[in-house]
């Protein structure tokens, strides 16, 4: 279970004025699939980075299964079972897909085990297992490979920051099916930062951030109708075609 207690985060500008990005955020997560949404600039990606340990809160506490991880590094949090997938997956020149997934697993994997993971994310294994991770792979392909890495690690908490960013509409629709399968099969929690209504529709719980404050928290059935009914719904739940490359 993940728990945040009164978490705030602020930054200082060049003239040493402080700007508060997140204010007094508190919630508990013990569901399989959680979506964090809200208008642009609301603090969603900052919250994801705080959970992963990329940055640390100015105040408040973060707990994982009851253990205080507030001051732990990103490396120590990874050892505790937290994975973070960036909006733009990293390229690893010289490594093959099999190499990368084996490294993520932290143990030797057979070709069959790697192929099974690739098949789970909708990639034809024989076409990808020996491919080099370079600029010839599309954004959608890299996103799927990154998801396969997370599956190989078997982490208890997997965070995806706007997985729809930079991919085409067909790839996004395919990724939805991948996340649906993960939701049903994973022994842990998936957190996805997203504006997309299609992702919110498959979430167990939705968290809404607006101007750095928690403005919505509850089950999909409780929160989604409220979001869709607000005047700024188009900035919170974008149509499937918006913000995805055509």
């Amino acid at each position: 279970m993940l728990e945040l207690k009164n978490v705030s985060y602020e930054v200082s500008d060049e003239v040493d004025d402080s700007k508060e990005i997140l204010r007094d955020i508190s919630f508990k997560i013990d569901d399989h699939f959680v979506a964090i949404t809200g208008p642009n600039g609301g603090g969603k990606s900052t919250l994801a980075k705080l959970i992963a340990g990329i940055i640390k809160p100015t105040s408040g506490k973060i707990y994982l299964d009851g253990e205080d991880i507030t001051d732990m590094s990103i490396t120590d949090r990874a050892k505790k079972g937290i994975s973070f997938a960036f909006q733009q997956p990293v390229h690893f020149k010289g490594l093959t897909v099999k190499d990368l997934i084996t490294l993520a697993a932290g143990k030797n994997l057979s070709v069959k085990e790697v192929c099974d993971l690739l098949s789970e994310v909708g990639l034809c294994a024989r076409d990808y297992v020996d491919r080099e991770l370079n600029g010839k792979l599309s954004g959608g392909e890299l996103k799927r490979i990154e998801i396969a890495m997370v599956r190989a690690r078997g982490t208890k908490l997997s965070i995806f920051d706007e997985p729809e960013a930079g991919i085409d509409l067909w790839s996004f629709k395919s990724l939805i099916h991948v996340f649906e399968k993960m939701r049903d099969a994973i022994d842990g929690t998936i957190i996805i930062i997203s504006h997309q209504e299609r992702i919110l529709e498959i979430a167990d719980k939705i968290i809404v951030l607006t101007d750095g404050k928690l403005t919505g928290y509850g089950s999909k059935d409780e929160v989604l109708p409220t979001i869709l009914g607000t005047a700024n719904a188009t900035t919170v739940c974008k149509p499937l075609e918006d913000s995805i490359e055509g």
Side-chain angles (χ1 to χ4, degrees):
M1 180 182 70
L2 178 72
E3 182 178 7
L4 274 67
K5 287 187 176 181
N6 308 114
V7 169
S8 297
Y9 180 74
E10 63 181 41
V11 295
S12 299
D13 61 22
E14 295 178 355
V15 295
D16 205 29
D17 289 333
S18 294
K19 179 181 180 181
E20 200 168 37
I21 308 300
L22 292 172
R23 282 168 272 177
D24 198 29
I25 304 296
S26 297
F27 59 76
K28 292 181 181 180
I29 290 176
D30 57 6
D31 305 85
H32 275 307
F33 196 105
V34 178
I36 299 177
T37 193
N40 289 333
K44 301 182 297 299
S45 291
T46 299
L47 180 60
K49 291 174 182 177
L50 285 169
I51 295 170
I54 297 171
I55 55 178
K56 293 183 180 180
T58 307
S59 61
K61 294 290 184 180
I62 302 174
Y63 299 90
L64 183 66
D65 293 335
E67 180 180 5
D68 186 352
I69 63 170
T70 309
D71 295 321
M72 284 187 183
S73 67
I74 186 172
T75 300
D76 289 335
R77 293 191 199 198
K79 292 176 181 177
K80 293 290 183 181
I82 297 178
S83 293
F84 184 86
F86 293 88
Q87 287 187 26
Q88 299 299 328
V90 180
H91 294 238
F92 296 90
K93 188 175 181 180
L95 284 179
T96 67
V97 172
K98 180 180 182 297
D99 293 334
L100 191 62
I101 292 177
T102 299
L103 285 171
K107 61 182 179 181
N108 290 326
L109 294 179
S110 67
V111 173
K112 182 183 182 305
E113 288 174 315
V114 174
C115 288
D116 287 344
L117 287 165
L118 291 172
S119 296
E120 277 188 33
V121 298
L123 294 176
C124 181
R126 66 175 179 269
D127 293 337
Y128 288 90
V129 67
D130 292 321
R131 289 213 26 202
E132 185 177 326
L133 288 150
N134 54 34
K136 295 181 180 179
L137 291 167
S138 70
E141 289 171 326
L142 286 169
K143 290 286 177 70
R144 292 189 188 211
I145 291 167
E146 189 170 39
I147 294 170
M149 288 171 57
V150 172
R151 294 287 287 128
R153 285 200 63 209
T155 50
K156 65 176 67 176
L157 178 61
S158 305
I159 306 166
F160 295 89
D161 190 4
E162 296 195 24
E164 69 271 17
I167 64 173
D168 57 65
L169 182 59
W170 184 90
S171 294
F172 176 73
K173 289 179 178 178
S174 299
L175 279 179
I176 289 294
H177 295 303
V178 172
F179 284 124
E180 285 176 327
K181 289 172 63 177
M182 283 185 68
R183 176 198 60 195
D184 296 335
I186 197 170
D187 184 19
T189 297
I190 301 168
I191 296 177
I192 295 186
I193 312 297
S194 181
H195 293 103
Q196 295 296 332
E197 181 181 347
R198 186 66 185 87
I199 287 180
L200 303 185
E201 286 175 345
I202 62 174
D204 298 312
K205 185 168 286 182
I206 297 174
I207 293 169
V208 184
L209 291 179
T210 307
D211 295 329
K213 296 180 290 185
L214 185 69
T215 55
Y217 174 72
S219 70
K220 172 190 64 180
D221 292 338
E222 293 170 330
V223 178
L224 190 54
T226 302
I227 297 174
L228 296 176
T230 60
N232 65 340
T234 55
T235 66
V236 178
C237 295
K238 297 178 182 177
L240 194 60
E241 292 79 5
D242 289 358
S243 78
I244 298 177
E245 295 181 357

